[in-house]
Amino acid sequence: MSTLLVPYYEHPSVRPAEWDAIVAAAPRLHGVVLNPASGPGDRPDPAFAETAARLRAAGARVLGYTDTDYGRRPHTDVVRDLTRYRDWYGTDGVFLDQVGAGPEEFPHYQKLAVAAWGLGCTTLVLNHGTPPHPSYARIADVLVTFEGTWDSYRRLPPQPRPGTTGVRLCHLVYDVPPGVDLAELARARGASVHCAVPGAGDHPWGTLPHTLEPAR
């Protein structure tokens, strides 16, 4: 079962070798998050369109990144992003970032899920960064229940599964030293999808997992 979800927020023309490495690893990836401009941008980017086509041809699931600002971003703006990803990049699903975790935000995200399904979305990933209310398990395929540093992750106890559905949990960890087997640690903490990168600071997702780094 593919367990590695890769959010890589660099332009293909700037980091072509890294994108080549991601495409080559497609058979063992759960998915790749595409993020041209903190979202799809205002117009199609030919380099990202070509990369998305290569990923799909290699068998990778392609997810469009969209920020939801913890439920504060208007429904119409998020749906516009999802539509652009489908039309411009042929995405298979969506990666909603900064997702609210409480029951009071759930109706907003339920409506977004319905809109995403209507647009042909087959995979819905919700990045809460923390365990959400169990209701979110009813609408998502993957719930990101941890996003943070390696130091914080080492202290994370096993997490309860939200709800009784088949939703998969994901942990996104950065500032990770070489040689760490996050897959085993993630499973012990209840997550079957994961990503561990060495990057730190404000832009950790501009680095690849050690196992995907291209040869220099």
Side-chain angles (χ1 to χ4, degrees), residues 39-210:
D42 295 327
R43 61 186 60 84
D45 184 315
F48 271 104
E50 179 184 5
T51 297
R54 291 177 62 205
L55 288 166
R56 291 196 309 275
R61 181 184 287 112
V62 182
L63 310 173
Y65 171 95
T66 298
D67 183 8
T68 68
D69 194 21
Y70 300 104
R72 293 185 291 264
R73 191 158 178 241
H75 175 92
T76 53
D77 289 356
V78 176
V79 173
R80 181 185 63 220
D81 281 1
L82 306 187
T83 303
R84 287 176 172 177
Y85 274 119
R86 182 199 63 182
D87 294 347
W88 297 349
Y89 304 111
T91 49
D92 306 289
V94 297
F95 179 95
L96 298 185
D97 197 18
Q98 298 198 116
V99 175
E104 61 277 7
E105 295 99 354
F106 177 71
H108 173 73
Y109 288 100
Q110 188 173 36
K111 292 177 182 176
L112 287 177
V114 171
W117 297 331
L119 289 168
C121 169
T122 59
T123 300
L124 177 59
V125 180
L126 302 181
N127 183 12
H128 306 276
T130 189
H133 187 270
S135 56
Y136 291 89
R138 303 202 306 264
I139 62 172
D141 299 288
V142 177
L143 296 174
V144 180
T145 57
F146 179 89
E147 181 179 359
T149 65
W150 166 242
D151 282 343
S152 297
Y153 192 66
R154 289 187 299 170
R155 299 189 293 270
L156 185 73
Q159 297 179 331
R161 173 172 289 277
T164 58
T165 69
V167 68
R168 300 176 72 177
L169 304 186
C170 174
H171 294 162
L172 302 178
V173 189
Y174 51 87
D175 202 7
V176 178
V180 170
D181 181 6
L182 194 73
E184 182 177 346
L185 293 172
R187 283 194 299 270
R189 289 161 171 78
S192 60
V193 181
H194 68 277
C195 187
V197 300
D202 294 335
H203 185 45
W205 306 113
T207 57
L208 288 179
H210 292 295

